[in-house]
Amino acid sequence: MKYDAIVVAGGVGKRAGLGFNKILYKMKNGKSVLEYACSLFFEDEDCDKVIIVTNEDLDFSHLKLTVVPGGKERVDSVNNGLNKVDSEYVFIHDGARPFLTIEDLNKLKSEVVNYDGAILATKAIDTIKVVKDGIIERTIDRNIIYHALTPQAFNTAVLKEAYQNIDFEGITDDASIMEKYGKAVKVVEGSKTNRKLTAREDFENI
């Protein structure tokens, strides 16, 4: 299978408190968070193109690399990237998730060809409460709760169609778009190490 990867890096990352965009943070390996997040896609022979959606100036380049500007909201940024996708499948990844493993990537690749989409996710391990006005309303069975990760992979034509035919109210990821459009998205259990760097402490010792 062949795919294009969209790496979303259009946010500012204020919660990290670094004074600059967190995707530009230099890791101990000498690469920025963003470059490292793209590295598996650069190396993967099945990946034809890596489309970074950002308003930042990059300090790295690659033959597979295409850069497009970020939009006002995440869905706008992804849509900007989708306009550059030519492959049958598209993988959408957060630029602030540099710890994707080849094992998880390969699992996702093997599943997306059988569905309209597939996402990496981890099972919830904590007790999940529904809270209103500071008071617990009910407890959700954690056995049916998963934390969505990225990459999220889709049939390109179906995702583009979904983008053109739904409203984006309440949308927080691309799997939500496909869900709202009535398409089947497979959950692939991924590694807990594939975390998103968000707060200042996330950047310690990386």
Side-chain angles (χ1 to χ4, degrees):
M1 60 94 72
K2 291 293 184 180
Y3 69 94
D4 291 346
I6 296 174
V7 180
V8 184
V12 177
K14 290 182 179 179
R15 283 180 290 177
L18 298 172
F20 56 90
N21 195 321
K22 63 186 178 182
I23 61 167
L24 303 178
Y25 182 87
K26 289 290 186 179
M27 303 173 66
K28 290 180 179 179
N29 58 26
K31 295 180 179 180
S32 67
V33 167
L34 178 59
E35 182 179 3
Y36 200 54
C38 295
S39 59
L40 278 185
F41 301 122
F42 289 151
E43 297 166 4
D44 187 5
E45 293 182 355
D46 290 332
C47 181
D48 282 338
K49 189 187 303 180
V50 179
I51 303 158
I52 296 179
V53 187
T54 187
N55 296 316
E56 301 287 350
D57 294 325
L58 304 183
D59 62 353
F60 63 94
S61 61
H62 195 276
L63 290 175
K64 292 184 180 181
L65 181 59
T66 297
V67 180
V68 299
K72 182 178 180 182
E73 304 291 342
R74 188 182 189 279
V75 290
D76 302 313
S77 293
V78 173
N79 199 35
N80 289 350
L82 275 175
N83 290 330
K84 297 293 184 179
V85 172
D86 301 309
S87 295
E88 183 177 3
Y89 297 96
V90 57
F91 285 46
I92 303 172
H93 190 47
D94 292 325
R97 288 187 193 268
F99 302 118
L100 174 66
T101 66
I102 188 63
E103 291 80 13
D104 279 0
L105 180 59
N106 285 337
K107 285 193 294 184
L108 196 60
K109 286 160 58 176
S110 68
E111 292 288 356
V112 70
V113 296
N114 300 313
Y115 298 89
D116 294 316
I119 71 167
L120 291 174
T122 57
K123 286 184 177 180
I125 59 174
D126 298 312
T127 300
I128 308 297
K129 303 291 187 182
V130 176
V131 178
K132 185 176 181 180
D133 298 327
I135 304 298
I136 295 172
E137 287 194 334
R138 59 192 174 95
T139 301
I140 299 177
D141 180 4
R142 67 185 177 191
N143 292 314
I144 62 171
I145 301 296
Y146 282 76
H147 299 284
L149 311 174
T150 68
Q152 299 188 347
F154 307 96
N155 178 289
T156 300
V158 178
L159 183 61
K160 286 183 175 181
E161 185 179 294
Y163 259 82
Q164 294 169 1
N165 288 284
I166 70 162
D167 68 85
F168 298 115
E169 184 177 356
I171 295 298
T172 55
D173 68 352
D174 296 284
S176 302
I177 291 173
M178 295 290 267
E179 178 187 349
K180 199 168 188 178
Y181 198 51
K183 299 301 180 179
V185 178
K186 174 71 172 178
V187 170
V188 179
E189 191 158 355
S191 170
K192 291 181 174 63
T193 61
N194 182 16
R195 68 189 192 276
K196 187 175 183 180
L197 302 177
T198 303
R200 183 62 180 263
E201 56 266 26
D202 296 334
F203 292 83
E204 296 175 0
N205 300 316
I206 64 167

